[in-house]
Amino acid sequence: MAFSRKSLGIPYAVFLVVFVAAPLLFLFYYAFTDGQGQFTMQNLLHFFTDPNTLGTLYYSFSIAIVTTVVCLLLAYPVAYILATSRLRQRSVILMLFVMPMWINFSLRITALKEILNVLEGNLAMYPFLNAVIGMTYDFLPFMILPLYTTISRLDGALREAAMDLGANDVQTFLRVTLPLSVPGIISGVSMVFLPAMTNYVVLDMLYNSTYIMGSLIGSYFAAYNWHGGSMISLILLAMICLFTLLSGSVEEEGSARGALL
Amino acid sequence: MEKKDTIIELRGVSKVFEDNGFKAVDNFNLEVKRGEFVTFLGPSGCGKTTTLRMIAGFDKPTEGDILLNGESIVGLPPYRRPINTVFQRYALFPHMNVFDNIAFGLRQKKTAKDVIVRKVKHVLELVDLEGFEERGIGTLSGGQQQRIAIARALVNEPEILLLDEPLGALDLKMRKEMQLELKSMHDKLGITFIYVTHDQEEALTMSDKIVVMSEGRTQQIGTPEDIYNEPVNAFVADFIGESNIFNGMMTGHLKARFCGGEFSCVDDYEEGTHITAVVRPEDVEITKPGEGTITGVVDSVIFKGIHYEITVLSGRNEIVIQTVRNATVGDRVGLRVDPENIHIMLAEDHTNKFYADINPDFRLEYNGHRIETSLTKIIRGSKRREDGTVVDAAGEVLEPGRVRILVSIQPQDIEMTDDQDAGLVQGTISNLIYKGDHYSYIIHTELEQDFVVDDEDLWNMDDRVGLLMPVDKMTFTLKRK
């Protein structure tokens, strides 16, 4: 048999089938069947009629949006200042912001929990606030990095051109720098918003009593309700797909430059 | 002719960069008349762009003042100066279409909408891109982007337009076209242009006035003709067009000795003055051997389309000639130059310079004599390997024949001796002049290289002497062929 370069792709094809396609098919199967293996739309109906699941969806959205906005507001100035400064140590400072990522996740959250305990007394009193603090702490580097990359790649001559044409610093920022950093904002937002929608370990560890989508799915599976849990997972997946497609199209429209890590 | 007033003046402007202490511009003085086309010309790193940026307001001078219409603008930020810039790589806003790019400045000034539309249309006609309003920047070719960048600056009707190597990214044909177009735009609009380039031909084609810069200093300011025909120093002569540059000495009234011959010239300096002679390649005439002022052997001939570029070796001197007549490598030829085509200027220094070769043993050699020093000592970072070859800091072998060492030695450091064989090189005293406390001699060597030697004792004309050159008085520079 002649060696074909295509055969090099076989391991990847196997990987995709076993770890991506097959689980998705299982998810579909469970989502649209009941305990007896019969096709049913009951799970779907249940999701949209149960105030509990809808409430959780709404709550998850709120947490994810607030976390994303807080991350963006914190990260943009940091990224902007670092990317535009002439500081020789700027890569060191950037590293300091990113360094928490190198430390074990549960260790970080445990430490945060202790700090919040001291500050708040009873963690259960401020579930929403704690969720946002925990996730912001966890996801901030994912917002800073793409923003930093995008802004530092902006041609400095563009800012100078704007000033040359009569724009002061604020106008230059609003008319040139900000619009041109949109690709970075979009990748930062996707990298924070998506995990914020699904991550529930942070909340669990902060003794959070409230449910978000992730914990809701977890609880279904813990109760052996694989069909309900699969449906919620599928719906979440669909929403994330939609979000990614939307942000992707905005990005393409804005400019052709990609800006990931 | 109407009297033109000064629009911008730079007075003693210097710029030292804080972060590395580099002095980019040193005591720059210039007056630009309204409507002039001024070009800053120089190699990269000469400070021309920094000077332009100080006029635009992106950099602040560390010293000196910049006056626009008689008033200092040093304290004004770029957005408050009636000056617009065409950037090196255009710096068009990629998130805006052509119309929005051009309208940027007008919108900033809160110009009425219908006026903006009219002005953008007008300026697009000026740069020959009518109907491009809705096009995205990414869909434009380099040449079109260039025109949009010019349009974006011109639409603001600035008092001065700054252009920072605007044609550098274009191909040759496009560049030639744009040169002519920019020139005609300048004539049509009457706006003052300050143009930065490292391309001497571009500068000569377009400018009313050229400022030649090197290492942060102004070398010469003048019209293109002045600068081409009467360069004030060897740097300008070398940078503007191709030149043959020789060190020499005045040997009499309107007579100068250089390149192994005595030439008549039209510039007069006192006899014995050290001079630098500049001869343009197109001004050297090839004659039959013996009919020229000097003779030499054709070393190489390169066909350049409209002319041949011929290199002739005369002794140790290399003369580049541009002529429409062909020659054959190895031919003996005579060379002559019309007196008006020899440009003589005062030599900046009288340092003797000669090339020493590296011999197959990787020792330094001149005229068949060893120079008693080692290559590893004079070339920083070089090493002698076990096989005897010498490599430079980058590990590359300093191949004999491909690498030469330029040796410099001052006239007072060379000693003459009657013991000819003891000298590094032998020659005849071809000229002497009394300089108050010493005599300045020119020793004409068999290698057709003239040495300048200062000596307190009186020697006779036509004496044959050996030249002793102490190694510790020599300085060495590595030159690659």
Side-chain angles (χ1 to χ4, degrees):
Chain A
M1 190 181 81
F3 174 79
S4 147
R5 224 190 290 186
K6 276 183 191 159
S7 51
L8 285 176
I10 290 174
Y12 303 102
V14 171
F15 175 89
L16 285 178
V17 168
V18 174
F19 292 103
V20 180
L24 266 177
L25 285 176
F26 278 121
L27 204 65
F28 258 100
Y29 171 77
Y30 278 110
F32 289 101
T33 53
D34 58 17
Q36 279 73 48
Q38 300 292 313
F39 174 81
T40 176
M41 296 294 280
Q42 198 54 49
N43 301 324
L44 188 67
L45 279 177
H46 175 77
F47 182 90
F48 286 108
T49 48
D50 187 357
N52 187 30
T53 50
L54 283 182
T56 311
L57 181 66
Y58 170 74
Y59 195 72
S60 294
F61 252 118
S62 312
I63 288 184
I65 286 171
V66 172
T67 304
T68 310
V69 170
V70 170
C71 276
L72 185 61
L73 291 180
L74 286 176
Y76 200 96
V78 172
Y80 182 82
I81 291 165
L82 284 180
T84 55
S85 82
R86 284 197 197 163
L87 274 180
R88 244 173 261 169
Q89 305 89 334
R90 64 182 196 173
S91 56
V92 177
I93 298 173
L94 182 71
M95 206 178 68
L96 286 178
F97 276 102
V98 177
M99 211 158 60
M101 289 207 303
W102 303 350
I103 295 164
N104 182 286
F105 161 79
S106 55
L107 195 69
R108 253 185 302 154
I109 298 297
T110 311
L112 182 67
K113 189 178 81 185
E114 293 309 321
I115 295 171
L116 290 178
N117 245 331
V118 171
L119 292 175
E120 296 176 0
N122 185 356
L123 285 180
M125 299 281 286
Y126 313 96
F128 192 88
L129 179 69
N130 290 345
V132 171
I133 291 176
M135 288 198 184
T136 303
Y137 177 50
D138 207 29
F139 300 141
L140 191 61
F142 295 103
M143 187 65 95
I144 292 181
L145 283 177
L147 283 175
Y148 173 81
T149 316
T150 312
I151 299 173
S152 60
R153 268 200 222 146
L154 286 186
D155 189 353
L158 291 175
R159 275 195 298 272
E160 286 181 350
M163 301 190 94
D164 191 69
L165 293 167
N168 62 26
D169 294 303
V170 177
Q171 290 163 330
T172 299
F173 176 78
L174 291 177
R175 293 191 61 183
V176 176
T177 313
L178 189 62
L180 285 175
S181 46
V182 164
I185 295 176
I186 288 172
S187 24
V189 165
S190 352
M191 291 180 78
V192 171
F193 183 78
L194 300 183
M197 274 292 282
T198 52
N199 186 316
Y200 66 95
V201 185
V202 175
L203 301 200
D204 260 8
M205 291 188 61
L206 291 174
Y207 287 130
N208 209 307
S209 51
T210 50
Y211 266 30
I212 61 165
M213 291 306 280
S215 32
L216 187 68
I217 296 167
S219 72
Y220 271 79
F221 279 95
Y224 295 100
N225 185 351
W226 292 10
H227 304 280
S230 295
M231 179 48 85
I232 302 173
S233 303
L234 204 61
I235 289 168
L236 200 55
L237 187 74
M239 288 194 303
I240 287 170
C241 264
L242 201 67
F243 177 81
T244 314
L245 286 177
L246 279 179
S247 61
S249 67
V250 172
E251 189 165 2
E252 259 168 43
E253 208 176 279
S255 95
R257 311 166 180 200
L260 274 168
L261 289 177
Chain B
M1 202 167 156
E2 65 180 308
K3 193 176 178 299
K4 290 176 177 174
D5 55 332
T6 301
I7 183 161
I8 192 159
E9 186 181 353
L10 286 86
R11 281 194 196 152
V13 170
S14 296
K15 173 73 186 174
V16 180
F17 284 106
E18 277 166 37
D19 38 352
N20 52 12
F22 176 66
K23 194 161 201 175
V25 178
D26 191 3
N27 192 20
F28 189 95
N29 290 289
L30 178 70
E31 258 183 58
V32 179
K33 304 273 179 240
R34 193 174 299 280
E36 254 185 328
F37 195 128
V38 178
T39 300
F40 296 169
L41 175 66
S44 63
C46 73
K48 54 190 193 303
T49 295
T50 308
T51 309
L52 197 78
R53 291 174 57 83
M54 288 192 283
I55 298 173
F58 303 131
D59 283 327
K60 266 204 163 123
T62 1
E63 267 175 71
D65 206 355
I66 301 174
L67 305 164
L68 180 73
N69 298 320
E71 277 173 55
S72 173
I73 54 164
V74 166
L76 284 186
Y79 51 87
R80 310 238 336 247
R81 300 185 185 197
I83 296 172
N84 287 109
T85 310
V86 177
F87 290 83
Q88 198 162 12
R89 305 207 57 97
Y90 322 137
L92 296 173
F93 305 121
H95 58 301
M96 299 179 187
N97 63 18
V98 168
F99 181 88
D100 291 335
N101 261 283
I102 298 177
F104 192 101
L106 296 174
R107 284 187 177 141
Q108 219 50 57
K109 279 188 256 173
K110 306 262 186 289
T111 313
K113 244 196 176 143
D114 52 324
V115 180
I116 294 182
V117 172
R118 212 179 54 232
K119 284 194 171 180
V120 171
K121 193 170 176 334
H122 175 75
V123 81
L124 276 174
E125 276 165 22
L126 186 75
V127 297
D128 233 354
L129 289 177
E130 298 98 326
F132 271 62
E133 281 94 341
E134 299 304 318
R135 293 279 290 272
I137 296 306
T139 67
L140 302 179
S141 71
Q144 290 168 337
Q145 292 193 23
Q146 174 59 66
R147 287 156 195 261
I148 298 301
I150 293 167
R152 184 178 68 175
L154 283 179
V155 79
N156 303 293
E157 292 156 16
E159 291 198 41
I160 302 175
L161 184 70
L162 307 178
L163 301 108
D164 184 7
E165 305 223 12
L167 308 184
L170 301 180
D171 62 57
L172 184 67
K173 190 159 169 280
M174 199 72 183
R175 208 153 62 215
K176 300 258 179 200
E177 271 175 42
M178 282 305 293
Q179 283 175 15
L180 297 177
E181 272 183 53
L182 274 174
K183 183 78 185 144
S184 77
M185 257 182 240
H186 171 255
D187 295 343
K188 210 182 320 178
L189 297 169
I191 294 176
T192 311
F193 277 36
I194 300 182
Y195 192 96
V196 158
T197 183
H198 62 266
D199 183 337
Q200 42 100 7
E201 195 218 314
E202 209 165 280
L204 293 172
T205 312
M206 301 165 76
S207 325
D208 298 325
K209 189 194 264 180
I210 297 179
V211 181
V212 185
M213 294 180 72
S214 164
E215 293 176 355
R217 288 165 183 275
T218 313
Q219 301 294 321
Q220 186 171 5
I221 301 179
T223 63
E225 290 85 358
D226 280 349
I227 284 183
Y228 191 85
N229 296 328
E230 299 289 327
V232 293
N233 59 31
F235 174 82
V236 177
D238 193 34
F239 196 75
I240 307 286
E242 280 192 69
S243 301
N244 295 293
I245 300 175
F246 309 102
N247 288 325
M249 187 186 253
M250 297 304 288
T251 47
H253 180 60
L254 297 181
K255 283 203 181 313
R257 174 162 188 62
F258 59 88
C259 193
E262 191 170 62
F263 292 82
S264 302
C265 57
V266 290
D267 303 283
D268 203 14
Y269 291 102
E270 203 185 320
E271 188 180 333
T273 312
H274 292 291
I275 49 114
T276 303
V278 177
V279 181
R280 299 285 176 190
E282 65 269 25
D283 292 335
V284 185
E285 238 178 278
I286 298 184
T287 64
K288 290 189 183 122
E291 285 179 19
T293 317
I294 54 172
T295 53
V297 178
V298 176
D299 188 52
S300 74
V301 178
I302 301 166
F303 180 58
K304 290 269 183 164
I306 40 174
H307 62 258
Y308 292 94
E309 190 171 289
I310 298 172
T311 313
V312 171
L313 279 179
S314 170
R316 286 234 148 197
N317 289 299
E318 200 176 84
I319 302 108
V320 177
I321 303 150
Q322 285 172 0
T323 166
V324 288
R325 282 175 46 203
N326 200 351
T328 317
V329 174
D331 275 1
R332 279 197 71 76
V333 292
L335 299 177
R336 63 175 297 275
V337 185
D338 269 351
E340 335 34 300
N341 288 331
I342 297 173
H343 179 62
I344 303 279
M345 50 208 175
L346 284 172
E348 282 130 86
D349 67 86
H350 309 151
T351 313
N352 292 291
K353 289 185 175 174
F354 60 92
Y355 281 107
D357 296 311
I358 295 175
N359 72 13
D361 297 333
F362 290 86
R363 307 279 173 195
L364 213 52
E365 208 177 76
Y366 181 71
N367 189 30
H369 291 271
R370 278 276 311 277
I371 296 177
E372 293 298 335
T373 182
S374 94
L375 278 178
T376 52
K377 218 188 305 176
I378 61 178
I379 303 165
R380 204 139 58 106
S382 64
K383 278 196 293 276
R384 185 173 289 272
R385 295 195 298 204
E386 278 180 22
D387 58 3
T389 58
V390 174
V391 295
D392 65 9
E396 224 175 292
V397 180
L398 299 168
E399 264 179 74
R402 301 197 59 184
V403 178
R404 291 187 297 179
I405 306 288
L406 182 66
V407 183
S408 312
I409 186 162
Q410 297 299 324
Q412 65 271 20
D413 293 330
I414 302 181
E415 217 182 297
M416 290 188 282
T417 169
D418 281 324
D419 180 7
Q420 290 175 29
D421 292 338
L424 185 62
V425 65
Q426 297 75 37
T428 324
I429 296 180
S430 66
N431 203 293
L432 75 140
I433 187 116
Y434 187 58
K435 287 274 184 93
D437 56 349
H438 66 272
Y439 295 90
S440 183
Y441 295 90
I442 292 193
I443 318 297
H444 184 59
T445 65
E446 285 132 9
L447 301 167
E448 295 297 340
Q449 162 107 33
D450 289 354
F451 281 87
V452 181
V453 178
D454 290 348
D455 200 312
E456 286 174 16
D457 301 325
L458 178 61
W459 296 67
N460 291 321
M461 277 293 279
D462 299 322
D463 272 359
R464 271 192 69 77
V465 291
L467 298 182
L468 300 172
M469 304 186 209
V471 172
D472 57 332
K473 295 283 169 56
M474 294 178 175
T475 56
F476 303 93
T477 326
L478 180 68
K479 296 273 174 185
R480 288 171 203 278
K481 278 190 190 173

